[in-house]
Amino acid sequence: MSEVAENIKTTETVAVQPKKPAEPLLSKRRKRLMSDPLDEDNPITVQVLGICSALAVTTQMKPTLVMAIAVIFVIVFANLIISVLRNLIPNRVRIIVQLSVIASLVVLVDQVLKAYFFDVSKLLSVFVGLIITNCIVMGRLEAFAMGNKPYDSILDGLGSGLGYSWIILAVAFFRELFGSGAVFGFPVFESLGLAYENNGLMVNSIGAFLIIGLIIWAQRWRNGYVEHN
Amino acid sequence: MQQSNLYIVIFSTVLTIVLGGLLALAAVALRPEQKKQEDMFRKKSILSSVMTVEKGSDILQIYGDKIKSYVVDYDGNEVKELEGKPIVAENVPINKEFKKSPEERLYPVFEMTDGSGGVEAYILPIYGNGLWDKIYGYLALDKDCNTIKGVVFDHIGETPGLGARITEKEFQARFKGKTINNDNGQVIGVTVLKGESTNPTDPHQVDGLSGATITAKGVESMILSYMEHYQGFLRKVKSSDLSYVNQ
């Protein structure tokens, strides 16, 4: 139990009062926690998680950005909370415990959006609620936060959240640009004086599939990734 | 580490109470702000059916100056109170009224004044079914009770980029100037066509939404049914039998 107590105590002081020589706040290992999900271990393009919301919310940049921020918030705090509680959580009910923590955070985000960003919350409608079922969040809790210290878990959550975010923002950029001829609602082609016929395919989910496919292709080509059988 | 059943039960109970308590607290604390936003949004929708509401303008101020609201029943008689409580038109829950039969519903009317005692438009709430969930909005009728001055639509869960396009100004503008009655004075509403580039000149037709036919048909039937339900009121307006309107 002493180990348990120590782990709880170290929530905020992990880097300040170590017994061993301190691991730097951003050591190489920790940097990798952050950077891996951005590229080589990206939740969407490599782990192929969270595809559903990547297809659904990415028609425009603005709601996508809010979605990205919401997911980062949920994943970071869920990781932190589960990591702090990890030695107290009964193994047999751990999944439902993770789920209730995620669900609470998501409901909180939804309530705050409704109170202060009413327009955006209308745009995102059900998709905020569906963060609960975003496999990335639960995947990180089960795979990382259950077995690692709080500070590392925050970094891991941040990495995965950002990895998810940059992909959906990239997809939204191309979908809004080619589907509505705009970026963040700003009519790009119109202000450049170009005549552009909006591409309805990009507004459909099919457009998102194509763009995600192209991103995955480009990324695998660059990293020389091959499927292992 | 295998914990006892008692530990699991206690842990789950404590977790539930803590999380539930936090959420309840957040819901209660944020409720007033959410109510304010909803109220603001509703008033903005009502106004934007007839005018362009500039960003940053004082919606509540404009609304207070321009809109006079009251509630009528199916026959067009004003309803002032319900079970002893005064009715506020803005607070009539259209979604709950929708579940009653048309004859029993309360019908709010938002009257836009032209600033010199006359009426500029009657703004009427409409409500119906889309593809995935409910769609709703406001339809502004000119004082001839026939010409559409403007519409706003909103939805709960239509597909973004397809059915959700009913919220776009460009689609809503297509209804402007259309009429709801045919030459014999019968209500026939506005038909939403299939396809999107016909630009119909018929006063009862508008271009539809490619890929969102069911939502478009929902819009069509929502307008038709509510315009029929409001006929009691509109007929009274036309025959100037509205003692309370000009009070």
Side-chain angles (χ1 to χ4, degrees), chain B residues 42-68:
Chain B
R42 192 177 310 128
K43 290 183 169 167
K44 192 176 152 196
S45 305
I46 293 172
L47 285 175
S48 53
S49 67
V50 270
M51 54 189 279
T52 318
V53 182
E54 302 283 336
K55 233 182 184 160
S57 54
D58 191 346
I59 291 160
L60 300 181
Q61 170 86 39
I62 303 172
Y63 187 89
D65 285 349
K66 293 225 167 198
I67 303 288
K68 200 169 99 184

mmCIF file of all heavy atoms in Angstrom, chain B residues 42-68:
data_model
loop_
_atom_site.group_PDB
_atom_site.id
_atom_site.type_symbol
_atom_site.label_atom_id
_atom_site.label_comp_id
_atom_site.label_asym_id
_atom_site.label_seq_id
_atom_site.Cartn_x
_atom_site.Cartn_y
_atom_site.Cartn_z
ATOM 1 N N ARG B 42 -33.440 32.177 -29.326
ATOM 2 C CA ARG B 42 -34.809 32.131 -29.809
ATOM 3 C C ARG B 42 -35.204 33.495 -30.378
ATOM 4 O O ARG B 42 -35.743 33.604 -31.476
ATOM 5 C CB ARG B 42 -35.743 31.737 -28.663
ATOM 6 C CG ARG B 42 -37.140 31.388 -29.136
ATOM 7 C CD ARG B 42 -38.025 30.938 -27.979
ATOM 8 N NE ARG B 42 -37.381 29.916 -27.170
ATOM 9 C CZ ARG B 42 -37.243 29.992 -25.841
ATOM 10 N NH1 ARG B 42 -37.684 31.038 -25.178
ATOM 11 N NH2 ARG B 42 -36.662 29.016 -25.168
ATOM 12 N N LYS B 43 -34.880 34.551 -29.613
ATOM 13 C CA LYS B 43 -35.260 35.887 -30.061
ATOM 14 C C LYS B 43 -34.503 36.271 -31.333
ATOM 15 O O LYS B 43 -35.051 36.937 -32.206
ATOM 16 C CB LYS B 43 -35.004 36.892 -28.936
ATOM 17 C CG LYS B 43 -35.995 36.675 -27.805
ATOM 18 C CD LYS B 43 -35.889 37.642 -26.684
ATOM 19 C CE LYS B 43 -37.105 37.478 -25.774
ATOM 20 N NZ LYS B 43 -36.956 38.156 -24.495
ATOM 21 N N LYS B 44 -33.270 35.820 -31.415
ATOM 22 C CA LYS B 44 -32.492 36.110 -32.616
ATOM 23 C C LYS B 44 -33.112 35.410 -33.827
ATOM 24 O O LYS B 44 -33.214 35.991 -34.910
ATOM 25 C CB LYS B 44 -31.048 35.632 -32.408
ATOM 26 C CG LYS B 44 -30.096 36.137 -33.460
ATOM 27 C CD LYS B 44 -28.680 35.701 -33.139
ATOM 28 C CE LYS B 44 -27.874 35.574 -34.402
ATOM 29 N NZ LYS B 44 -26.649 34.813 -34.187
ATOM 30 N N SER B 45 -33.552 34.152 -33.629
ATOM 31 C CA SER B 45 -34.198 33.429 -34.733
ATOM 32 C C SER B 45 -35.445 34.150 -35.180
ATOM 33 O O SER B 45 -35.698 34.301 -36.374
ATOM 34 C CB SER B 45 -34.599 32.019 -34.306
ATOM 35 O OG SER B 45 -33.514 31.339 -33.816
ATOM 36 N N ILE B 46 -36.264 34.568 -34.205
ATOM 37 C CA ILE B 46 -37.509 35.247 -34.548
ATOM 38 C C ILE B 46 -37.213 36.490 -35.373
ATOM 39 O O ILE B 46 -37.802 36.718 -36.424
ATOM 40 C CB ILE B 46 -38.294 35.618 -33.266
ATOM 41 C CG1 ILE B 46 -38.770 34.345 -32.560
ATOM 42 C CG2 ILE B 46 -39.474 36.524 -33.582
ATOM 43 C CD1 ILE B 46 -39.384 34.570 -31.208
ATOM 44 N N LEU B 47 -36.242 37.270 -34.895
ATOM 45 C CA LEU B 47 -35.902 38.499 -35.617
ATOM 46 C C LEU B 47 -35.314 38.208 -36.990
ATOM 47 O O LEU B 47 -35.645 38.857 -37.972
ATOM 48 C CB LEU B 47 -34.897 39.325 -34.809
ATOM 49 C CG LEU B 47 -35.454 40.068 -33.602
ATOM 50 C CD1 LEU B 47 -34.325 40.731 -32.839
ATOM 51 C CD2 LEU B 47 -36.482 41.096 -34.025
ATOM 52 N N SER B 48 -34.462 37.193 -37.064
ATOM 53 C CA SER B 48 -33.752 37.002 -38.333
ATOM 54 C C SER B 48 -34.644 36.397 -39.412
ATOM 55 O O SER B 48 -34.238 36.297 -40.554
ATOM 56 C CB SER B 48 -32.495 36.164 -38.138
ATOM 57 O OG SER B 48 -32.806 34.970 -37.494
ATOM 58 N N SER B 49 -35.888 36.022 -39.051
ATOM 59 C CA SER B 49 -36.793 35.586 -40.108
ATOM 60 C C SER B 49 -37.229 36.774 -40.965
ATOM 61 O O SER B 49 -37.599 36.613 -42.114
ATOM 62 C CB SER B 49 -38.007 34.869 -39.523
ATOM 63 O OG SER B 49 -38.793 35.769 -38.794
ATOM 64 N N VAL B 50 -37.194 37.978 -40.418
ATOM 65 C CA VAL B 50 -37.592 39.147 -41.203
ATOM 66 C C VAL B 50 -36.472 40.146 -41.452
ATOM 67 O O VAL B 50 -36.576 40.977 -42.335
ATOM 68 C CB VAL B 50 -38.762 39.915 -40.546
ATOM 69 C CG1 VAL B 50 -40.075 39.386 -41.047
ATOM 70 C CG2 VAL B 50 -38.674 39.872 -39.055
ATOM 71 N N MET B 51 -35.417 40.090 -40.659
ATOM 72 C CA MET B 51 -34.372 41.097 -40.858
ATOM 73 C C MET B 51 -33.000 40.446 -40.655
ATOM 74 O O MET B 51 -32.882 39.354 -40.121
ATOM 75 C CB MET B 51 -34.557 42.249 -39.873
ATOM 76 C CG MET B 51 -34.625 41.782 -38.421
ATOM 77 S SD MET B 51 -35.084 43.071 -37.285
ATOM 78 C CE MET B 51 -33.530 43.894 -37.056
ATOM 79 N N THR B 52 -31.978 41.157 -41.109
ATOM 80 C CA THR B 52 -30.625 40.666 -40.871
ATOM 81 C C THR B 52 -30.170 41.192 -39.522
ATOM 82 O O THR B 52 -30.121 42.393 -39.308
ATOM 83 C CB THR B 52 -29.668 41.184 -41.955
ATOM 84 O OG1 THR B 52 -30.339 41.087 -43.203
ATOM 85 C CG2 THR B 52 -28.401 40.369 -41.979
ATOM 86 N N VAL B 53 -29.870 40.255 -38.633
ATOM 87 C CA VAL B 53 -29.402 40.680 -37.319
ATOM 88 C C VAL B 53 -27.879 40.784 -37.380
ATOM 89 O O VAL B 53 -27.182 39.790 -37.573
ATOM 90 C CB VAL B 53 -29.833 39.676 -36.228
ATOM 91 C CG1 VAL B 53 -29.379 40.149 -34.864
ATOM 92 C CG2 VAL B 53 -31.334 39.491 -36.249
ATOM 93 N N GLU B 54 -27.389 42.015 -37.224
ATOM 94 C CA GLU B 54 -25.936 42.225 -37.284
ATOM 95 C C GLU B 54 -25.276 41.576 -36.083
ATOM 96 O O GLU B 54 -25.841 41.508 -35.006
ATOM 97 C CB GLU B 54 -25.624 43.733 -37.258
ATOM 98 C CG GLU B 54 -26.250 44.529 -38.374
ATOM 99 C CD GLU B 54 -25.512 44.368 -39.694
ATOM 100 O OE1 GLU B 54 -24.307 44.037 -39.641
ATOM 101 O OE2 GLU B 54 -26.128 44.544 -40.752
ATOM 102 N N LYS B 55 -24.067 41.107 -36.314
ATOM 103 C CA LYS B 55 -23.308 40.530 -35.206
ATOM 104 C C LYS B 55 -23.036 41.618 -34.170
ATOM 105 O O LYS B 55 -22.669 42.729 -34.522
ATOM 106 C CB LYS B 55 -21.976 39.969 -35.712
ATOM 107 C CG LYS B 55 -21.793 38.532 -35.287
ATOM 108 C CD LYS B 55 -20.482 37.968 -35.726
ATOM 109 C CE LYS B 55 -20.456 36.503 -35.327
ATOM 110 N NZ LYS B 55 -19.503 35.741 -36.046
ATOM 111 N N GLY B 56 -23.263 41.293 -32.915
ATOM 112 C CA GLY B 56 -22.935 42.251 -31.866
ATOM 113 C C GLY B 56 -24.035 43.260 -31.569
ATOM 114 O O GLY B 56 -23.895 44.081 -30.680
ATOM 115 N N SER B 57 -25.138 43.190 -32.332
ATOM 116 C CA SER B 57 -26.208 44.136 -32.027
ATOM 117 C C SER B 57 -26.993 43.643 -30.813
ATOM 118 O O SER B 57 -27.000 42.465 -30.498
ATOM 119 C CB SER B 57 -27.127 44.297 -33.237
ATOM 120 O OG SER B 57 -27.586 43.050 -33.674
ATOM 121 N N ASP B 58 -27.636 44.580 -30.164
ATOM 122 C CA ASP B 58 -28.353 44.255 -28.931
ATOM 123 C C ASP B 58 -29.697 43.604 -29.268
ATOM 124 O O ASP B 58 -30.700 44.282 -29.473
ATOM 125 C CB ASP B 58 -28.556 45.520 -28.104
ATOM 126 C CG ASP B 58 -29.051 45.174 -26.710
ATOM 127 O OD1 ASP B 58 -29.468 44.011 -26.511
ATOM 128 O OD2 ASP B 58 -29.020 46.040 -25.836
ATOM 129 N N ILE B 59 -29.670 42.275 -29.322
ATOM 130 C CA ILE B 59 -30.845 41.535 -29.761
ATOM 131 C C ILE B 59 -32.057 41.803 -28.868
ATOM 132 O O ILE B 59 -33.158 42.047 -29.353
ATOM 133 C CB ILE B 59 -30.522 40.030 -29.806
ATOM 134 C CG1 ILE B 59 -29.528 39.772 -30.937
ATOM 135 C CG2 ILE B 59 -31.771 39.202 -30.009
ATOM 136 C CD1 ILE B 59 -28.784 38.488 -30.805
ATOM 137 N N LEU B 60 -31.815 41.788 -27.557
ATOM 138 C CA LEU B 60 -32.935 41.945 -26.627
ATOM 139 C C LEU B 60 -33.590 43.313 -26.796
ATOM 140 O O LEU B 60 -34.808 43.452 -26.731
ATOM 141 C CB LEU B 60 -32.451 41.739 -25.190
ATOM 142 C CG LEU B 60 -31.849 40.359 -24.907
ATOM 143 C CD1 LEU B 60 -31.417 40.243 -23.466
ATOM 144 C CD2 LEU B 60 -32.834 39.250 -25.265
ATOM 145 N N GLN B 61 -32.757 44.322 -27.039
ATOM 146 C CA GLN B 61 -33.256 45.695 -27.233
ATOM 147 C C GLN B 61 -34.133 45.779 -28.485
ATOM 148 O O GLN B 61 -35.269 46.249 -28.448
ATOM 149 C CB GLN B 61 -32.043 46.629 -27.359
ATOM 150 C CG GLN B 61 -32.366 48.039 -27.805
ATOM 151 C CD GLN B 61 -32.744 48.903 -26.617
ATOM 152 O OE1 GLN B 61 -32.141 48.777 -25.552
ATOM 153 N NE2 GLN B 61 -33.743 49.757 -26.780
ATOM 154 N N ILE B 62 -33.607 45.265 -29.603
ATOM 155 C CA ILE B 62 -34.355 45.296 -30.866
ATOM 156 C C ILE B 62 -35.651 44.520 -30.710
ATOM 157 O O ILE B 62 -36.721 44.951 -31.141
ATOM 158 C CB ILE B 62 -33.517 44.682 -32.011
ATOM 159 C CG1 ILE B 62 -32.181 45.415 -32.149
ATOM 160 C CG2 ILE B 62 -34.274 44.743 -33.333
ATOM 161 C CD1 ILE B 62 -31.228 44.763 -33.119
ATOM 162 N N TYR B 63 -35.528 43.353 -30.087
ATOM 163 C CA TYR B 63 -36.698 42.506 -29.906
ATOM 164 C C TYR B 63 -37.775 43.227 -29.112
ATOM 165 O O TYR B 63 -38.947 43.222 -29.490
ATOM 166 C CB TYR B 63 -36.285 41.206 -29.202
ATOM 167 C CG TYR B 63 -37.388 40.195 -29.114
ATOM 168 C CD1 TYR B 63 -37.571 39.268 -30.134
ATOM 169 C CD2 TYR B 63 -38.238 40.141 -28.016
ATOM 170 C CE1 TYR B 63 -38.585 38.340 -30.072
ATOM 171 C CE2 TYR B 63 -39.251 39.209 -27.944
ATOM 172 C CZ TYR B 63 -39.428 38.314 -28.971
ATOM 173 O OH TYR B 63 -40.430 37.393 -28.917
ATOM 174 N N GLY B 64 -37.358 43.854 -28.034
ATOM 175 C CA GLY B 64 -38.309 44.573 -27.191
ATOM 176 C C GLY B 64 -38.997 45.696 -27.945
ATOM 177 O O GLY B 64 -40.189 45.948 -27.764
ATOM 178 N N ASP B 65 -38.246 46.358 -28.827
ATOM 179 C CA ASP B 65 -38.809 47.481 -29.587
ATOM 180 C C ASP B 65 -39.779 47.023 -30.659
ATOM 181 O O ASP B 65 -40.783 47.664 -30.926
ATOM 182 C CB ASP B 65 -37.678 48.264 -30.274
ATOM 183 C CG ASP B 65 -36.913 49.104 -29.273
ATOM 184 O OD1 ASP B 65 -37.398 49.214 -28.134
ATOM 185 O OD2 ASP B 65 -35.839 49.621 -29.626
ATOM 186 N N LYS B 66 -39.436 45.912 -31.306
ATOM 187 C CA LYS B 66 -40.138 45.574 -32.548
ATOM 188 C C LYS B 66 -41.220 44.513 -32.400
ATOM 189 O O LYS B 66 -42.134 44.471 -33.203
ATOM 190 C CB LYS B 66 -39.110 45.065 -33.576
ATOM 191 C CG LYS B 66 -38.152 46.140 -34.019
ATOM 192 C CD LYS B 66 -37.984 46.092 -35.524
ATOM 193 C CE LYS B 66 -37.295 47.332 -36.027
ATOM 194 N NZ LYS B 66 -37.471 47.524 -37.444
ATOM 195 N N ILE B 67 -41.040 43.615 -31.440
ATOM 196 C CA ILE B 67 -41.912 42.443 -31.431
ATOM 197 C C ILE B 67 -42.987 42.553 -30.343
ATOM 198 O O ILE B 67 -42.690 42.876 -29.192
ATOM 199 C CB ILE B 67 -41.087 41.148 -31.209
ATOM 200 C CG1 ILE B 67 -40.010 41.000 -32.269
ATOM 201 C CG2 ILE B 67 -42.007 39.937 -31.180
ATOM 202 C CD1 ILE B 67 -40.504 40.653 -33.651
ATOM 203 N N LYS B 68 -44.215 42.295 -30.771
ATOM 204 C CA LYS B 68 -45.315 42.172 -29.821
ATOM 205 C C LYS B 68 -45.773 40.726 -29.920
ATOM 206 O O LYS B 68 -45.973 40.217 -31.022
ATOM 207 C CB LYS B 68 -46.436 43.114 -30.252
ATOM 208 C CG LYS B 68 -47.415 43.458 -29.156
ATOM 209 C CD LYS B 68 -48.309 44.595 -29.611
ATOM 210 C CE LYS B 68 -49.631 44.033 -30.088
ATOM 211 N NZ LYS B 68 -50.519 45.064 -30.640
#
